Amino acid sequence: QVQLVESGGGLVQPGGSLRLSCAPSDNIFSFNILAWYRQAPGKERELVARLISGGGSPYYHASVQGRFLISRDVAKNTVDLQMNSLKPEDTAVYYCNVRRLPSAEEYWGQGTQVTVSS
């Protein structure tokens, strides 16, 4: 069973930045897909950003394009989400997700709260 430990959430003013980090208990390169999702109160969980091993451009939800950056830190064995120019509508619980293919084995983090408010 793979464990994911998330960190970096908190309260930030509009226009500010936060960096989320997700540390899996297995080697980060053992996963084919690395992603961040979020769920706001009363809304469905949505995909925010995704990295696929083997190349290709990262995917970003249209609402975060140009403001968020997903990356893999090999030295720390983490998948990070740098969030800039944060808006109140970015307020949500953010979840890390990793998957292995073709088995479709996947794991979720416990979630970290991000609140953007003045």
Side-chain angles (χ1 to χ4, degrees), residues 36-38 46-50 59-61 64 68 81 94:
W36 284 94
Y37 287 74
R38 68 185 179 188
E46 64 181 8
L47 175 62
V48 176
R50 180 183 62 206
Y59 164 86
Y60 294 98
H61 190 280
V64 308
F68 289 13
L81 186 68
Y94 284 71

Side-chain angles (χ1 to χ4, degrees), residues 34-92:
L34 309 171
W36 284 94
Y37 287 74
R38 68 185 179 188
Q39 187 167 20
K43 295 187 177 181
E44 294 189 355
R45 191 173 296 190
E46 64 181 8
L47 175 62
V48 176
R50 180 183 62 206
L51 271 177
I52 298 178
S53 297
S57 299
Y59 164 86
Y60 294 98
H61 190 280
S63 67
V64 308
Q65 184 78 40
R67 299 188 296 122
F68 289 13
L69 178 67
I70 187 171
S71 62
R72 179 170 40 205
D73 189 321
V74 176
K76 296 181 180 178
N77 197 53
T78 61
V79 53
D80 300 333
L81 186 68
Q82 177 67 40
M83 306 185 295
N84 300 322
S85 302
L86 283 161
K87 304 176 181 180
E89 50 263 44
D90 294 318
T91 295

